[in-house]
Amino acid sequence: MAGYLLRRLLLVVPTLFGIIAINFFVVQFAPGGPVEQMIAEMRGKGGDVAARMTGGGNETASADPGSYRGARGLEPGMVEEIKKLFGFDKPPLTRFGIMLSDYLRFDFGRSFFRDQTVIGLIGQKLPVSLSLGLWSTLLIYFVSIPLGIAKAVRDGSSFDVATSAAVLVGYAIPGFLFAILLVVLFAGGSFVQWFPLRGLTSGGAETWSWPARIADYLWHMALPTVALVVGGFASLTMLTKNSFLEEIRKNYVVTARAKGASERRVLYRHVFRNAMLLVVAGFPAAFIGILFTSSLLVEIVFSLDGLGLLGFEAAIRRDYPVMFGTLYIFTLLGLVMQIVGDALYTVVDPRIDFDKRS
């Protein structure tokens, strides 16, 4: 297992390089970069300043400086200064090389439009996304696995039919729509206001006692977590049920029953270990998906300023340091979590030996 994990860790480097390289060069062809946005802001909000800097708008200053069509009315020297400010005065390959050397030191630079370092921004937003991702993923697994096992054992019963209706509703309603419903019902929308609607803690909570602070944190996390759990438990429940049904019908289960083993022993000693392999394999993807993608709209609904919202705003504003910094961290975490998932295989079923397979 150690040799397999070492090989997987070594593969992280070229995989990470490939993902960053492809996205970097794709972005070079995307219109509306930071230079164009800064020029548009100067023309839209600072027209008087631009006019004074260009000599009152004479014909020479109105010429098209370079390839930036929106820069008409600005001096070419000003456009060059803007390009230098954002680092676009260097060729793409040079910028890519500098970015890679910085990323090896986990230096992601500074945001173009926020007066903060990228690592500082990520550090500020990470607690929100970690809270949502961790609690939601754990609750989804704690709900889905027992429910899926119970549905498999009672396949075709009234319990199975009734719970299938609940699973269908959870599958059909997106998490953000359920989040809006929770706000309307319980967060002061139209009925009661039992839960808060903003942030992870209340104002002044840092001076409270630890039990009060923990209770306040859980109070703030209740509705966003429920919204993500309801939107995510359906597929895992059905995966668990189908995995157990497939194993229950195999010959080794019939043999174990014929030898007099109890149903509980057959289920949890023989079937569980084999059926849980597919479920365990999906844990890293589920965690990363909730952490960085599924929680975006839920963050917006509940005014939670997390990594999902940060990455979305960076993409809209073409804030490249934030875009690539978050992409680098997301990708690195995703690759590491896949390796963790492989290690969990051997925890669930010690008979699995990746070294022998390779």
Side-chain angles (χ1 to χ4, degrees):
M1 184 64 181
Y4 172 79
L5 291 179
L6 179 60
R7 289 192 296 273
R8 287 296 304 272
L9 286 172
L10 291 176
L11 281 173
V12 167
V13 177
T15 305
L16 191 59
F17 172 82
I19 292 173
I20 294 296
I22 290 171
N23 282 275
F24 179 85
F25 288 104
V26 166
V27 161
Q28 305 309 307
F29 299 99
V35 175
E36 291 94 329
Q37 293 203 17
M38 178 62 74
I39 290 173
E41 285 189 17
M42 293 182 67
R43 287 177 57 82
K45 298 181 180 179
D48 295 339
V49 175
R52 287 196 298 269
M53 295 180 68
T54 56
N58 57 39
E59 292 301 320
T60 303
S62 298
D64 183 3
S67 60
Y68 295 101
R69 289 179 297 174
R72 293 176 180 175
L74 300 180
E75 289 185 349
M78 186 184 301
V79 177
E80 293 303 318
E81 286 297 320
I82 295 173
K83 291 169 68 176
K84 185 176 180 181
L85 175 67
F86 291 118
F88 282 81
D89 56 326
K90 303 179 182 68
L93 283 176
T94 303
R95 287 189 280 118
F96 181 66
I98 294 172
M99 185 181 76
L100 285 183
S101 64
D102 291 339
Y103 279 18
L104 290 175
R105 305 189 305 270
F106 282 86
D107 178 9
F108 303 114
R110 299 183 68 86
S111 167
F112 285 161
F113 302 105
R114 303 174 188 234
D115 189 23
Q116 287 181 273
T117 62
V118 174
I119 199 70
L121 280 170
I122 293 174
Q124 288 179 9
K125 316 299 183 183
L126 191 59
V128 174
S129 295
L130 275 181
S131 296
L132 280 174
L134 181 62
W135 294 121
S136 301
T137 305
L138 289 177
L139 282 176
I140 285 172
Y141 270 74
F142 285 148
V143 170
S144 300
I145 292 175
L147 182 58
I149 295 174
K151 285 174 66 63
V153 172
R154 300 172 177 83
D155 184 40
S157 66
S158 57
F159 171 82
D160 183 37
V161 174
T163 52
S164 294
V167 168
L168 180 62
V169 171
Y171 186 79
I173 301 178
F176 76 94
L177 284 181
F178 197 79
I180 294 173
L181 177 63
L182 291 175
V183 169
V184 171
L185 294 178
F186 303 114
S190 301
F191 294 89
V192 296
Q193 189 168 5
W194 292 346
F195 294 92
L197 193 57
R198 182 179 297 274
L200 291 181
T201 56
S202 301
E206 61 275 2
T207 63
W208 299 354
S209 63
W210 275 107
R213 292 171 68 177
I214 292 173
D216 180 67
Y217 167 76
L218 295 176
W219 184 44
H220 282 76
M221 287 301 302
L223 293 187
T225 303
V226 168
L228 287 175
V229 169
V230 169
F233 86 101
S235 57
L236 183 59
T237 298
M238 298 309 298
L239 175 63
T240 305
K241 176 190 174 181
N242 293 333
S243 298
F244 271 80
L245 279 177
E246 183 179 355
E247 293 297 323
I248 287 172
R249 293 164 181 163
K250 289 186 177 178
N251 290 333
Y252 74 89
V253 176
V254 177
T255 303
R257 286 171 176 165
K259 289 181 177 180
S262 65
E263 282 297 315
R264 184 177 182 85
R265 181 180 177 84
V266 169
L267 186 63
Y268 291 103
R269 183 67 180 271
H270 300 284
V271 175
F272 186 85
R273 184 169 56 183
N274 296 322
M276 285 300 294
L277 290 176
L278 283 175
V279 178
V280 169
F283 179 82
F287 177 73
I288 294 297
I290 291 176
L291 185 60
F292 297 127
T293 56
S294 300
S295 62
L296 170 60
L297 295 176
V298 174
E299 286 180 12
I300 294 173
V301 171
F302 289 101
S303 302
L304 297 173
D305 195 6
L307 286 176
L309 188 58
L310 175 66
F312 175 75
E313 291 178 346
I316 294 298
R317 298 206 66 184
R318 302 295 195 272
D319 196 343
Y320 292 154
V322 177
M323 283 175 58
F324 289 115
T326 52
L327 175 66
Y328 183 87
I329 291 179
F330 294 174
T331 306
L332 182 60
L333 282 176
L335 293 172
V336 170
M337 289 300 293
Q338 288 180 355
I339 298 173
V340 171
D342 288 346
L344 287 176
Y345 272 126
T346 61
V347 174
V348 176
D349 191 348
R351 297 172 298 175
I352 294 177
D353 191 337
F354 289 103
D355 287 327
K356 289 183 178 178
R357 289 181 58 193
S358 59

